[in-house]
Amino acid sequence: MEFKIKTGELATLKTPCLVLGVFEKSKLSGVAEDIDAKSGNRIASILKKGDMDGEVGKTLMLYDLPDISADRVLLLGLGKKKGFDRAAFRKALAGLFPQLQQSRARDAVLALPDPLPADTYASVRDVVLAAEDKAYRYTRTKDDKQPLKTPLKRLTLWVPKKQEIAAAELAARHGSAMASGISLAKELGNLPGNICTPSYLADTARDLANRFKELQVEVLEEEQMASLGMGALLSVSRGSRQPAKLICMHYRGGKSGDKPIVLVGKGLTFDAGGISLKPAAEMDEMKYDMCGGASVFGAVQAACELELPINLIGVVPSSENLPDGDANKPGDIVTSMSGQTIEILNTDAEGRLILCDALTYCERFEPGIVIDLATLTGACVVALGKHAAGLFTQDDKLAAEILAAGETAGDRAWRMPLWDDYQSQLDSNFADIANVGGRDGGAITAACFLSRFTKKYRWAHLDIAGITWLTGKEKGGTGRPVALLTQLLLDRA
């Protein structure tokens, strides 16, 4: 979708559809009041009939308003004026764009409401993200049974002052790149496991490198990983006919001496649990177990599109986890790249096995920070539900950066404990460490496991198991936490 910024006389602006905000109790936003006055109070008289009261996300289409150049005027409910915030604005936008896509208007103008829920930059970026989110449609392996006859192609955001244009244009540019990364993460997550294999992800990385000259890609094959001693990662892939890949994407936008930011994303393209087989119900959703890797792809693409002045490395260890005669068995002991031995008590706790070798591999990059993200534990979903990612780190400054980025992007995380008290749950009688620590504090002990492989750099872990896909009728990838990651990269640029 194309986004434009305009200012000037709104009543004389020619457009197929003009969107205006209405608060609860039919209170017009400031700009809507101006249009109402120019139309001879036509909007107010229509609202008095009771067809709309400003409930958040509700819409009402009007036609042929006198002395208004727009073909249509779409009223958008914004909810209560008192306490109108970004959350309410996002909810309103979520109701707007499906309606706008059905309006047969290829172009539309959205007049930012007065008052705004945040500054111009944040408000415009929220609009762009909401528009692109609702425009995404998965069609790779199915016919679009209800294709839009006249999908929205261009959205113009109207701002009241010329001084706001620069901030609005920057927000539109940032939002578009962020949304593009989110769409990529959604698409990779939504693809079935027989298409989106580790080799497919490796090819996706190469395709990105062909698009962006600043990006270089290296893919380690199983033979190379074996020579490096990645016994934990390779133990997971033994049960699959698909060879594992360690995908490294190097974006060099900063100075040669600048330490890179490293993002490590779990890329389990399908997780049946291995010998510790998962229940059959909803196992199809385990294609989403690579959403950590998908989000790394999305963040790297956004950084490339924005040409950020940073050095960034995206690392995606990718494999499948399937039952097989050569698969890991409960009680097996493997040796990680770090030299630490691991007793595999549960083969369904495989994500940490592929991540630990990838995290050790990251030492060679001499990183400024490393953030890993993974659909790691159901325990985190129980703890935080579907709203926030779980953040684990002992680095208070890094935690504050990540939390602030999440708040700014509307893609929030919540800090969880990572105390040494939990480490003893990973004790093993037969190896240096067990891969699970029991039911109590499962998300925490998973993070404790990873922490044993990150002693040589600043590190944080995001457990994203609850936020990366929706279930039920709306089943599909969300693209989270690409927005958080991109915001963090913008903050560090």
Side-chain angles (χ1 to χ4, degrees):
M1 192 180 300
E2 182 183 359
F3 297 93
K4 298 285 188 180
I5 308 298
K6 279 191 177 182
T7 189
E9 180 55 57
L10 193 56
T12 59
L13 187 60
K14 185 66 178 174
T15 176
C17 188
L18 171 62
V19 182
L20 301 173
V22 180
F23 292 103
E24 278 191 3
K25 298 182 180 179
S26 301
K27 294 181 179 178
L28 299 175
S29 64
V31 63
E33 285 182 337
D34 294 341
I35 295 296
D36 182 50
K38 288 183 170 60
S39 69
N41 302 119
R42 180 64 176 155
I43 298 175
S45 65
I46 292 173
L47 290 176
K48 286 180 180 178
K49 299 180 187 297
D51 291 335
M52 181 188 190
D53 66 358
E55 181 182 349
V56 64
K58 299 297 183 181
T59 60
L60 179 64
M61 187 72 79
L62 308 179
Y63 299 89
D64 301 322
L65 289 187
D67 298 321
I68 304 301
S69 295
D71 297 337
R72 309 168 181 83
V73 171
L74 182 61
L75 302 182
L76 172 64
L78 301 175
K80 295 180 180 179
K81 187 172 183 178
K82 185 178 181 181
F84 179 55
D85 57 13
R86 289 180 72 187
F89 190 39
R90 292 189 193 109
K91 187 175 180 180
L93 293 170
L96 166 67
F97 287 108
Q99 179 65 32
L100 204 52
Q101 290 284 11
Q102 297 293 337
S103 70
R104 297 180 180 271
R106 291 186 182 275
D107 297 346
V109 174
L110 171 60
L112 291 180
D114 179 20
L116 281 173
D119 60 33
T120 300
Y121 174 88
S123 299
V124 169
R125 201 172 75 175
D126 284 347
V127 172
V128 172
L129 288 172
E132 293 287 16
D133 178 62
K134 295 303 179 183
Y136 172 82
R137 300 168 79 87
Y138 177 79
T139 58
R140 174 69 181 273
T141 54
K142 62 175 288 188
D143 290 333
D144 194 347
K145 295 180 180 180
Q146 294 181 320
L148 297 171
K149 293 182 180 179
T150 53
L152 186 66
K153 295 293 187 182
R154 182 187 296 115
L155 181 66
T156 299
L157 290 98
W158 182 87
V159 295
K161 300 176 182 177
K162 287 184 178 180
Q163 302 93 300
E164 297 174 301
I165 290 177
E169 289 179 339
L170 182 65
R173 179 169 173 264
H174 287 176
S176 293
M178 195 178 285
S180 180
I182 290 170
S183 292
L184 174 60
K186 285 182 182 179
E187 188 73 5
L188 290 173
N190 287 334
L191 287 171
N194 63 320
I195 292 178
C196 187
T197 62
S199 296
Y200 183 93
L201 289 181
D203 288 341
T204 300
R206 295 184 183 106
D207 288 343
L208 283 178
N210 289 333
R211 287 176 54 197
F212 301 105
K213 64 179 181 180
E214 300 87 358
L215 188 66
Q216 294 180 333
V217 169
E218 178 186 16
V219 178
L220 272 65
E221 304 293 343
E222 288 190 338
E223 184 177 345
Q224 294 166 285
M225 288 184 266
S227 68
L228 291 168
M230 294 186 177
L233 193 161
L234 291 174
S235 75
V236 176
S237 68
R238 285 207 318 264
S240 170
R241 296 181 185 181
Q242 294 289 339
K245 308 286 182 181
L246 183 64
I247 303 162
C248 301
M249 297 171 280
H250 299 259
Y251 168 75
R252 296 181 174 90
K255 297 177 182 177
S256 60
D258 292 347
K259 290 191 172 186
I261 300 165
V262 180
L263 303 177
V264 182
K266 173 185 170 186
L268 250 292
T269 57
F270 192 81
D271 179 19
I275 298 300
S276 305
L277 192 66
K278 293 178 180 290
E282 300 177 346
M283 192 194 285
D284 63 291
E285 295 180 9
M286 288 301 97
K287 68 179 184 178
Y288 292 110
D289 213 17
M290 45 68 67
C291 282
S295 292
V296 170
F297 274 94
V300 168
Q301 177 178 281
C304 291
E305 288 190 4
L306 292 171
E307 300 179 340
L308 294 182
I310 59 172
N311 293 327
L312 172 67
I313 302 174
V315 178
V316 180
S318 186
S319 173
E320 293 180 331
N321 184 32
L322 299 173
D324 179 80
D326 197 32
N328 280 330
K329 304 176 296 294
D332 282 0
I333 294 175
V334 298
T335 302
S336 68
M337 184 181 176
S338 71
Q340 297 176 82
T341 57
I342 304 166
E343 183 180 14
I344 301 171
L345 297 178
N346 187 329
T347 68
D348 194 23
E350 84 300 322
R352 62 201 74 182
L353 297 178
I354 70 170
L355 283 170
C356 71
D357 279 345
L359 289 168
T360 300
Y361 187 77
C362 289
E363 292 174 4
R364 65 188 53 210
F365 303 135
E366 299 182 0
I369 60 169
V370 175
I371 301 171
D372 81 73
L373 46 152
T375 49
L376 205 61
T377 67
C380 196
V381 185
V382 173
L384 297 176
K386 297 285 188 178
H387 303 289
L391 169 62
F392 301 81
T393 182
Q394 292 183 333
D395 188 321
D396 292 340
K397 184 177 179 181
L398 181 55
E401 281 188 69
I402 295 170
L403 292 173
E407 289 290 341
T408 300
D411 190 0
R412 294 181 292 181
W414 186 261
R415 192 175 184 184
M416 302 282 280
L418 188 61
W419 303 332
D420 288 340
D421 310 57
Y422 294 92
Q423 292 282 358
S424 61
Q425 290 179 233
L426 297 170
D427 289 348
S428 166
N429 291 339
F430 306 104
D432 296 325
I433 183 174
N435 78 324
V436 292
R439 291 179 59 86
D440 296 346
I444 302 169
T445 55
C448 285
F449 178 94
L450 296 177
S451 73
R452 307 231 185 157
F453 303 86
T454 61
K455 303 296 186 184
K456 296 184 179 180
Y457 46 71
R458 298 178 65 198
W459 163 80
H461 163 61
L462 285 169
D463 192 326
I464 59 174
I467 66 169
T468 56
W469 79 92
L470 302 174
T471 59
K473 291 182 179 180
E474 295 183 343
K475 183 184 292 186
T478 64
R480 296 182 63 191
V482 173
L484 182 158
L485 297 174
T486 308
Q487 183 62 53
L488 183 69
L489 299 179
L490 284 167
D491 291 342
R492 283 184 153 255

